[in-house]
Amino acid sequence: MKTIISTIRHDEKDDEIYKKAAKILQNGGLVAFPTETVYGLGADALNSDASAKIYAAKGRPSDNPLIVHIADEEDLYKLSCDVNDYAKKLVKAFCPGPITMILKKTDMVPDTITGGLDTVAIRMPSHPVARRLIKDSGIYIAAPSANTSGKPSPTRASHVIHDMDGRIDMIIADDTVDIGVESTIVDISGDMPTILRPGFITLEQVKEVLGKAQMDPAITEGVAAGVTPKAPGMKYKHYAPNAKITIVKGQQDKVIEAVNRMAVESSRSGHNVAVMASSETAPLYTAGQVIDMGSRNDEAETARKLFAVLRQFDESGVDVVYSESFPTDDVGQAVMNRLIKAAGHTVIEVS
Ligand code: AMP
Ligand code: MG
């Protein structure tokens, strides 16, 4: 398949791009587009043949449901039969924005995009390209991240082209994705609002708006054997580059010492080694290719860089990575959640 790649110019010439993309979506095709979190791979959510193409293009397991992207609050009532007070409060506080709500679905929503669940994930993105695409096409757009399943989510058009060129109808390129990690997912279909995936909007912020909220134990403790996680995506390998990542935690000077020692050993045994460090400590690492992940006081910067850095490891043939643990006060919650998954839960504590 020939993939149309169109770059947004932010002038009237863009009209043609939106027209073409809208037509493709209306005809059951696939269009990748930027959002404020990561690039999405969109199809008509109400057309099962169209959403089946998303699963095929990504190699995504069919039981891993998709997030439906809408433009306006009133669309919630079409997709959910129970738009409760939690939903109304979250919409008022955070929408449009990087939050996904899990709600009871209406019959209109096909089982094919919910993995057979009776709930649906709904998000109202704030990115102007995403918003215009939803409005111009008049379609509820089912869109997971536009990466090959298991790989880091795309934050740049080049990432989408790498994974999807030749597999989808169109890629809208506009490198203004500024958060860099996927939306916060909150399950509000039950009594206790539960974060199923941390994101830019934190547990504390959700708690402040709803009065109560909890983190799904599967996030903090991992998915226990024999347990079906609430977000089916949780059980799959994710964000993983080819490199083996080890996270090293503990007192700063001990971490630096341990990483320097392990990096030298790995280099000696022939590995191509990288170290992920904060701006403050990066100069103290003496072996491997040292990657500055941003200041420890700027969690947003680390979030913006994370997936691009993970992808770069594959490009440059890095096969062993040692990473510091980063602060988790704000979006760092989401950063560490992704990084731990990328590391396949390999975390060493030094003392
Ligand atoms: P992605 O769009 O690739 O960022 O992944 C979407 C995430 O949302 C996956 O982890 C899904 O398992 C999760 N998700 C989507 N729909 C639901 C739902 N109805 N209930 C729980 N989790 C969901
Ligand atoms: Mg994804």
Side-chain angles (χ1 to χ4, degrees):
M1 172 189 290
K2 171 105 184 83
T3 301
I4 302 165
I5 301 172
S6 303
T7 303
I8 292 288
R9 299 171 40 123
H10 302 278
D11 61 23
E12 69 285 350
K13 293 218 174 77
D14 294 341
D15 293 352
E16 277 307 310
I17 298 178
Y18 289 107
K19 225 182 258 168
K20 206 179 285 171
K23 182 148 274 156
I24 290 170
L25 291 172
Q26 288 156 359
N27 290 333
L30 300 186
V31 177
F33 59 97
T35 81
E36 69 275 26
T37 56
V38 301
Y39 273 85
L41 176 57
D44 181 351
L46 304 185
N47 174 344
S48 293
D49 292 337
S51 55
K53 293 180 192 167
I54 292 182
Y55 288 93
K58 281 180 62 87
R60 183 175 175 104
S62 63
D63 70 343
N64 193 1
L66 306 179
I67 296 172
V68 183
H69 294 65
I70 61 172
D72 298 300
E73 185 170 358
E74 66 205 44
D75 298 334
L76 273 179
Y77 295 85
K78 305 265 174 46
L79 301 171
S80 171
C81 59
D82 182 24
V83 181
N84 53 31
D85 280 350
Y86 291 147
K88 289 175 192 158
K89 285 179 178 163
L90 290 178
V91 167
K92 192 153 176 246
F94 303 120
C95 294
I99 191 159
T100 296
M101 297 176 287
I102 308 290
L103 287 164
K104 289 254 167 351
K105 78 175 194 75
T106 57
D107 291 340
M108 192 190 204
V109 179
D111 288 335
T112 39
I113 64 157
T114 66
L117 299 171
D118 63 356
T119 53
V120 59
I122 309 175
R123 166 161 131 75
M124 199 189 298
S126 62
H127 194 286
V129 173
R131 283 184 68 74
R132 177 147 176 212
L133 187 60
I134 301 166
K135 279 182 183 276
D136 283 12
S137 62
I139 274 178
Y140 303 128
I141 303 182
S145 47
N147 53 284
T148 302
S149 210
K151 288 290 159 192
S153 297
T155 51
R156 295 184 190 156
S158 60
H159 303 161
V160 182
I161 293 167
H162 179 274
D163 285 14
M164 293 297 156
D165 193 17
R167 309 180 68 85
I168 65 177
D169 299 283
M170 184 174 184
I171 296 170
I172 301 180
D174 180 27
D175 281 343
T176 53
V177 166
D178 67 359
I179 292 179
V181 289
E182 307 86 341
S183 60
T184 305
I185 301 181
V186 195
D187 184 351
I188 45 170
S189 64
D191 281 342
M192 181 52 122
T194 303
I195 307 263
L196 304 185
R197 176 173 75 187
F200 186 75
I201 292 165
T202 62
L203 171 65
E204 291 69 30
Q205 285 175 286
V206 171
K207 235 184 224 173
E208 202 169 299
V209 169
L210 300 185
K212 59 179 179 182
Q214 65 176 7
M215 201 60 108
D216 189 301
I219 292 174
T220 39
E221 290 145 37
V223 180
V227 172
T228 307
K230 290 190 92 177
M234 280 178 170
K235 64 179 179 284
Y236 294 110
K237 180 168 165 260
H238 222 144
Y239 313 117
N242 300 326
K244 170 90 186 96
I245 302 181
T246 301
I247 300 170
V248 186
K249 277 174 75 166
Q251 207 182 298
Q252 202 175 83
D253 51 336
K254 301 278 189 226
V255 169
I256 293 166
E257 195 185 304
V259 168
N260 280 337
R261 184 171 32 78
M262 291 188 289
V264 167
E265 278 165 18
S266 300
S267 299
R268 271 196 197 130
S269 46
H271 292 290
N272 188 348
V273 181
V275 174
M276 293 165 75
S278 65
S279 307
E280 289 82 358
T281 49
L284 304 172
Y285 290 96
T286 50
Q289 177 194 344
V290 181
I291 314 287
D292 180 341
M293 297 301 295
S295 167
R296 296 189 81 78
N297 300 318
D298 190 355
E299 292 176 24
E301 169 76 3
T302 309
R304 265 194 298 274
K305 286 185 169 173
L306 180 68
F307 290 141
V309 167
L310 294 181
R311 280 178 174 264
Q312 190 56 43
F313 292 148
D314 284 353
E315 299 283 311
S316 57
V318 167
D319 62 346
V320 171
V321 177
Y322 298 103
S323 179
E324 292 181 348
S325 179
F326 298 100
T328 57
D329 300 309
D330 297 304
V331 70
Q333 259 175 23
V335 169
M336 285 311 294
N337 169 263
R338 310 307 191 266
L339 187 56
I340 288 169
K341 286 190 177 199
H345 295 268
T346 308
V347 183
I348 300 179
E349 188 117 30
V350 289
S351 59

